[in-house]
Amino acid sequence: MAAAMAGFSPAFAAIRARSTRLISAWQTADEHRIGVLAVDGARWSVQQSLAVPTRAHGLMVEAGGSVLATARRPGDWLLRWHPANGQTQWHWIEDDRRFNGHAVASPVGDVLWTTETDLDTAQGRLAMRDMKTLEKRDEWATHGMDPHELIVLPQRVGDMPAGSLLVANGGIPTLPETGRSKRQLDRMDASLVALDPRDGARLGQWRLDDPYLSIRHLAWDPVSRAVGIALQAEHPDAEAKRQAPVFALWNGQRLQAAQAQPAVQGYGGDICALPDGGFVVSCPRADALALFRPDARWSQNVTHREAYALAAGPGHWWASGAEGVWCAPEGIEARSSGRLQIDNHWNLI
């Protein structure tokens, strides 16, 4: 694994492992928690944690050091937690809506957007919320079902202006009561949609040629100035599902699925941009980290058991796994005396 990473980014070979902190969500046999993990060389440990009512999914670090956690779909809570002093601020969604696991803040920090589902219609909604109170100000259609992650474009991409909201419509029809029981997959309609942050007007919408690829998670690459997308396959044919791509690239004009990718069970768990450009997608069902170039071509796989959460910073990136935290490009597997079942996402603090 170390040799593979050194081959991918030889300029990093001499960089030593450094201490870092990650905000993460995890499960134990008895409860669900969010907390701060410290990774120091070849060791990691839990620094602080807080029990939450159900599984957390998306985690966002705010400017003042607080953390915003969103319940996994179909979720009913938002939580602002201040690790420094333990203070919490809870917000519960309306009875006819459910959170879909992700939130993003406006560039100036006055607005929070959350992806949601209308339980009466199963259609996707994008809620605009007050950043301080978390109360809903307005909501707009996402023009699809099962909206998941969303990002704010930091600069113009193609015809899409800076500040546009990019939303991943997973497109999977589900029973509104559960939010997770899939049905009528032949009616799948996954799409990537760009919305105007001022009024929710649709600026553009893109689909892949394969209708059984669900668009789930998004990552911005400042090097290639493109958006990488983690995909999850829903093909009725088992072999087609196993061989399906787990990555797509959006350049402002079109969606392009991964090229020359080997089989990784058709399931992309998380995605982040690599420090030198390109992307990595975690593939927990294949025990692999799949690396892709900025032109959407597959580069290599790195074996990593139960790979899931990903995060990147200047010159470094980290992946969760069954054995510990994979620290790249150093090629170090940080271990601990305990074992946590890390959830889908984590973020640097």
Side-chain angles (χ1 to χ4, degrees), residues 5-340:
M5 288 297 96
F8 181 71
S9 285
F12 291 153
I15 298 176
R16 297 180 61 189
R18 63 178 182 181
S19 178
T20 193
R21 295 195 307 158
L22 294 153
I23 182 69
S24 180
W26 63 83
Q27 305 170 63
T28 69
D30 306 313
E31 58 187 354
H32 307 284
R33 303 190 78 86
I34 63 171
V36 178
L37 306 181
V39 183
D40 190 2
R43 301 292 296 173
W44 69 264
S45 60
V46 177
Q47 299 295 294
Q48 298 162 274
S49 71
L50 176 74
V52 291
T54 57
R55 282 178 65 177
H57 192 71
L59 300 158
M60 187 180 79
V61 179
E62 300 182 294
S66 55
V67 172
L68 193 75
T70 310
R72 177 178 179 253
R73 69 182 176 96
D76 59 1
W77 55 267
L78 278 176
L79 167 64
R80 175 172 282 131
W81 176 48
H82 298 262
N85 56 27
Q87 291 183 354
T88 59
Q89 178 186 355
W90 292 90
H91 180 82
W92 301 89
I93 201 168
E94 312 95 292
D95 290 341
D96 61 348
R97 298 287 186 272
R98 286 296 180 269
F99 290 118
N100 284 7
H102 286 277
V104 69
S106 65
V108 296
D110 60 335
V111 171
L112 180 75
W113 289 287
T114 55
T115 50
E116 303 177 7
T117 290
D118 182 332
L119 294 185
D120 292 333
T121 65
Q123 292 299 303
R125 308 296 291 174
L126 184 67
M128 182 177 68
R129 297 178 174 276
D130 183 272
M131 181 60 83
K132 291 183 179 180
T133 67
L134 305 181
E135 293 290 341
K136 186 179 292 186
R137 292 182 184 174
D138 202 353
E139 67 173 28
W140 311 313
T142 68
H143 305 282
M145 293 179 292
D146 188 30
H148 205 61
E149 191 162 18
L150 70 163
I151 61 173
V152 180
L153 289 181
Q155 62 185 74
R156 188 178 188 86
V157 183
D159 294 331
M160 297 301 106
S164 298
L165 292 167
L166 205 62
V167 182
N169 282 315
I172 300 175
T174 59
L175 292 173
E177 313 88 73
T178 68
R180 300 194 69 84
S181 299
K182 302 169 186 176
R183 60 177 184 173
Q184 299 176 307
L185 290 176
D186 59 332
R187 293 177 51 240
M188 270 187 66
D189 184 24
S191 67
L192 187 70
V193 63
L195 303 177
D196 190 313
R198 296 168 297 183
D199 57 8
R202 179 168 48 183
L203 302 176
Q205 192 163 18
W206 301 264
R207 292 173 173 85
L208 292 164
D209 292 336
D210 187 340
Y212 287 106
L213 293 175
S214 181
I215 296 172
R216 310 304 297 176
H217 293 119
L218 310 174
W220 167 253
D221 177 14
V223 178
S224 64
R225 292 179 293 181
V227 174
I229 302 160
L231 307 173
Q232 295 176 8
E234 299 291 345
H235 299 76
D237 178 77
E239 182 60 17
K241 187 173 185 177
R242 189 182 76 86
Q243 296 278 355
V246 296
F247 174 78
L249 187 77
W250 179 77
N251 63 3
Q253 297 179 330
R254 67 186 183 104
L255 277 176
Q256 179 182 357
Q259 303 176 61
Q261 176 209 292
V264 284
Q265 306 303 319
Y267 187 91
D270 196 8
I271 184 171
C272 74
L274 292 166
D276 268 2
F279 300 87
V280 56
V281 176
S282 58
C283 306
R285 297 179 184 177
D287 294 324
L289 297 162
L291 278 67
F292 296 88
R293 297 188 180 99
D295 62 359
R297 294 192 66 82
W298 173 80
S299 173
Q300 64 175 300
N301 284 353
V302 177
T303 300
H304 188 56
R305 195 158 71 88
E306 296 179 22
Y308 237 125
L310 298 168
H316 300 260
W317 57 276
W318 297 263
S320 73
E323 305 301 330
V325 180
W326 171 240
C327 307
E330 299 85 4
I332 294 174
E333 186 88 52
R335 303 293 182 96
S336 173
S337 57
R339 185 181 185 276
L340 300 179

